[in-house]
Amino acid sequence: MSKAQGPIQNPKSKIQNPKSKIQNLMCLAVPGKIVRINENSDASGESSLTRTGSVSFGGVVKEVSLAYVPEAQVGNYVIVHVGFALSVVDEKEAEQTLQYLQEMCVS
């Protein structure tokens, strides 16, 4: 442990930065709309764990792993965390979450 950085805290709750201010950390999963799916399949034709897709986050399109949501289709909204779609969500719920995030950025 470096004396300049201070003690290491639990990364799931708080960290101590070099200026000795304690900050809360939060992991954020964000809804995005699937605009394209890359059907990567293995030799047997079965969808593999490398299934990916292009997901739009308010116009910003990122490549996302769809391995955890084999049921996901183009047009579905998915909750994405660190590049992995974790679940398919209702369009209304996704849009409401995006609206809340937008309001947080404006204020």
Side-chain angles (χ1 to χ4, degrees):
M1 168 172 63
S2 168
K3 290 183 180 182
Q5 292 180 348
I8 297 173
Q9 302 289 325
N10 180 344
K12 292 184 179 180
S13 61
K14 296 180 180 183
I15 62 167
Q16 186 170 351
N17 70 18
K19 295 179 182 174
S20 299
K21 292 181 182 178
I22 295 192
Q23 300 175 343
N24 289 327
L25 293 179
M26 175 177 60
C27 293
L28 187 62
V30 181
K33 186 174 185 176
I34 300 173
V35 294
R36 188 185 62 185
I37 293 178
N38 304 316
E39 291 294 346
N40 303 322
S41 57
D42 60 19
S44 68
E46 301 243 348
S47 183
S48 70
L49 292 177
T50 59
R51 183 175 186 244
T52 62
S54 297
V55 177
S56 176
F57 301 94
V60 176
V61 178
K62 297 287 185 179
E63 195 73 13
V64 170
S65 171
L66 301 175
Y68 300 144
V69 287
E71 73 279 14
Q73 301 295 320
V74 171
N76 287 156
Y77 281 84
V78 288
I79 296 292
V80 178
H81 178 66
V82 294
F84 289 87
L86 302 177
S87 63
V88 177
V89 293
D90 176 77
E91 181 177 356
K92 184 177 178 180
E93 179 183 350
E95 289 177 353
Q96 177 136 27
T97 301
L98 290 169
Q99 181 181 346
Y100 290 147
L101 291 171
Q102 182 66 31
E103 290 172 6
M104 286 173 36
C105 290
V106 172
S107 26

